[in-house]
Amino acid sequence: MKSYQVDENGFYGKFGGAYIPEILYKTVEDLKKAYLPIIESEEFQKEYRALLRDYVGRPSPLYLAKRMSEKYGCQLYLKREDLNHTGAHKINNAIGQILIAKKMGKTRIVAETGAGQHGVATATVCALMNMPCRVYMGATDVERQHVNVERMKMLGAEVFPVQSGNKTLKDATNEAIRDWCCHPSDTFYIIGSTVGPHPYPDMVARLQSIISEEIKWQLKEKIGRDYPDYLMACVGGGSNAAGTIYHYIDDERVKIILGEAGGLGIDTDKTAASMQIGTLGILHGSRIKLMQTDDGQIVEPYSISAGLDYPGTGPIHCNLYETGRAQVLPANDDEALRAAFELTRLEGIIPALESAHALALLPKIKDQFKPTDIVVLTVSGRGDKDLGTYLANRGTLPDPPSEGGSK
Ligand SMILES: *Cc1c(COP(=O)(O)O)cnc(C)c1O
């Protein structure tokens, strides 16, 4: 059987690795030696799973969306990561990494954040574990995700607006790495996605793999078999997708379909669809497909969704795309907005804009579906943080049919 898991050097095919400055070598090497024994230890598992259950509210439900199923001609199940404490899948990873940080004797936490969801998750677990927390966030994102900034501060984190580049996720990540370089021995860098140097992509994927672990027994309970025909998720750095597919990655019965941010379209210069248009390069310690110029300067990404506004994608997904194991399709801003309104009106669930990029693929691929096909789509987060964007774009969207009544 072919394995799409990481090899001993931290590579997924030609992607991944650990391209780090000398000063971080020992820190990353220590983590590489420590993370698997810690994650596999009984003590860690007991603590991690108890927190996932009692603090996060897991297992997250697997919900058969009947009206959406009817519309798209399949059996569509939604994996409800939006119902987690703090509103997205990010908390699964943040809890795992802070437990690892504590076991390694670290006393100081740094993190980067885009939409603010990972910053909030990290600030939350730092409050829980009484650890000082510094969150780096692009100044553009500080403005467009103001509520999350206030949440982080209320939780006790220090938030540092980053003024370089186009002041979004990539720039925040640069700054977090810079901080880490200055304090390598006492600081643990909690990365929010399956990006960064090995072992981060593998560590984050394992900490998110609870998603597919639950899908397995939940499907078995509901339909009598433990695998779907299709798995779907959105991809920014790739963590919710990695968790969704983890236990199915080598199971070729399961088709994998991922949505990345098309922005205004992959043929425009306003896009974040790095797998479609990227080329091989190194960013934040990992060899990935990257939006860059011919001489290797990063091309600033664009997406309506702050959580997908990153010029690359983690090495796991680059490899799945290159090998053809996963079908990766872009969903543009307008398609994602339409999908978010549709889910809201058909199922009463307001999804995060990021998650809407997975939902937006349904109209594009529905001709592949048979009515009996089981499709599991991960709703990575809830849409509260995106209400401003939704309201601002309401007018451009067709209103669903209404029987009248108050609006
Ligand atoms: C951060 C975020 C994403 C994108 O990150 P991945 O690592 O690709 O999962 C997607 N959805 C939500 C709700 C997020 O907060």
Side-chain angles (χ1 to χ4, degrees):
M1 194 163 42
K2 190 165 178 159
S3 179
Y4 296 93
Q5 303 288 6
V6 72
D7 71 19
E8 61 276 18
N9 297 316
F11 280 90
Y12 303 81
K14 62 183 176 207
F15 303 101
Y19 299 87
I20 46 169
E22 192 65 31
I23 190 154
L24 288 177
Y25 183 79
K26 182 175 181 304
T27 308
V28 171
E29 203 56 28
D30 287 348
L31 180 62
K32 205 167 101 187
K33 287 197 197 98
Y35 84 109
L36 281 179
I38 292 176
I39 290 178
E40 283 163 5
S41 72
E42 205 184 311
E43 189 187 314
F44 174 90
Q45 283 297 327
K46 238 177 113 187
E47 225 176 327
Y48 175 61
R49 285 173 187 270
L51 284 170
L52 289 183
R53 186 187 65 229
D54 301 331
Y55 189 71
V56 175
R58 302 200 72 92
S60 67
L62 185 69
Y63 165 69
L64 174 60
K66 290 217 183 76
R67 295 183 67 197
M68 289 283 284
S69 296
E70 199 171 305
K71 172 139 196 195
Y72 291 108
C74 65
Q75 303 295 308
L76 178 68
Y77 287 84
L78 302 177
K79 182 60 172 160
R80 300 288 310 277
E81 295 300 301
D82 58 308
L83 293 177
N84 292 338
H85 179 43
T86 68
H89 65 293
K90 297 265 170 35
I91 191 84
N92 306 324
N93 168 55
I95 285 192
Q97 284 198 49
I98 202 156
L99 291 176
I100 294 171
K102 280 183 52 159
K103 303 257 179 291
M104 292 182 71
K106 305 286 179 178
T107 54
R108 185 175 175 275
I109 300 295
V110 297
E112 85 296 336
T113 197
Q117 290 300 104
H118 174 58
V120 167
T122 303
T124 298
V125 298
C126 285
L128 181 69
M129 299 291 172
N130 191 24
M131 292 265 245
C133 177
R134 298 165 70 91
V135 179
Y136 292 91
M137 185 170 188
T140 305
D141 292 336
V142 168
E143 261 170 57
R144 63 177 165 176
Q145 302 289 339
H146 182 70
V147 173
N148 274 344
V149 175
E150 296 309 320
R151 288 166 83 195
M152 286 184 261
K153 288 184 181 164
M154 184 162 173
L155 288 158
E158 282 184 276
V159 181
F160 297 89
V162 174
Q163 302 290 350
S164 56
N166 68 341
K167 306 175 190 171
T168 60
L169 182 54
K170 157 183 71 73
D171 314 293
T173 307
N174 289 339
E175 217 51 46
I177 292 176
R178 215 161 277 152
D179 181 313
W180 193 29
C181 285
C182 295
H183 310 86
S185 59
D186 64 347
T187 298
F188 194 96
Y189 177 19
I190 299 191
I191 297 185
S193 190
T194 43
V195 299
H198 178 65
Y200 277 99
D202 186 50
M203 179 168 68
V204 174
R206 283 169 191 266
L207 295 173
Q208 291 291 1
S209 70
I210 186 71
I211 299 173
S212 49
E213 186 184 307
E214 289 173 4
I215 291 172
K216 276 201 136 166
W217 64 256
Q218 287 172 320
L219 276 180
K220 180 88 190 164
E221 228 174 67
K222 285 181 198 296
I223 64 164
R225 70 172 217 224
D226 69 357
Y227 66 95
D229 298 293
Y230 291 87
L231 283 171
M232 297 178 68
C234 67
V235 191
S239 69
N240 88 87
T244 301
I245 65 181
Y246 193 88
H247 292 286
Y248 296 108
I249 206 163
D250 290 314
D251 184 344
E252 305 275 352
R253 294 173 301 186
V254 181
K255 298 179 195 75
I256 299 171
I257 300 188
L258 306 175
E260 63 175 346
L264 298 187
I266 58 168
D267 49 359
T268 71
D269 60 358
K270 291 239 175 289
T271 183
S274 58
M275 279 191 274
Q276 321 287 326
I277 66 159
T279 52
L280 204 58
I282 291 170
L283 182 66
H284 301 142
S286 184
R287 192 203 269 166
I288 55 176
K289 286 193 81 170
L290 191 57
M291 291 168 47
Q292 57 186 336
T293 61
D294 290 341
D295 49 2
Q297 297 297 318
I298 303 292
V299 172
E300 298 295 347
Y302 163 81
S303 164
I304 192 170
S305 151
L308 303 180
D309 202 349
Y310 187 73
T313 302
I316 301 171
H317 308 286
C318 291
N319 186 48
L320 295 175
Y321 175 77
E322 289 277 301
T323 56
R325 174 69 184 95
Q327 199 180 343
V328 183
L329 301 168
N332 294 349
D333 289 1
D334 57 339
E335 295 166 330
L337 284 166
R338 197 163 290 127
F341 279 89
E342 180 178 87
L343 185 71
T344 303
R345 291 301 178 90
L346 289 185
E347 300 289 346
I349 297 169
I350 303 178
L353 252 173
E354 291 83 3
S355 322
H357 286 73
L359 293 159
L361 301 186
L362 289 167
K364 298 175 192 261
I365 59 168
K366 68 172 196 292
D367 293 344
Q368 296 185 26
F369 295 151
K370 295 192 297 289
T372 50
D373 277 345
I374 305 296
V375 180
V376 174
L377 185 151
T378 294
V379 180
S380 53
R382 65 177 86 121
D384 308 28
K385 68 183 175 58
D386 299 311
L387 261 164
T389 310
Y390 289 148
L391 291 175
N393 288 282
R394 249 213 82 130
T396 64
L397 296 159
D399 219 27
S402 153
E403 300 285 306
S406 65
K407 292 222 170 174

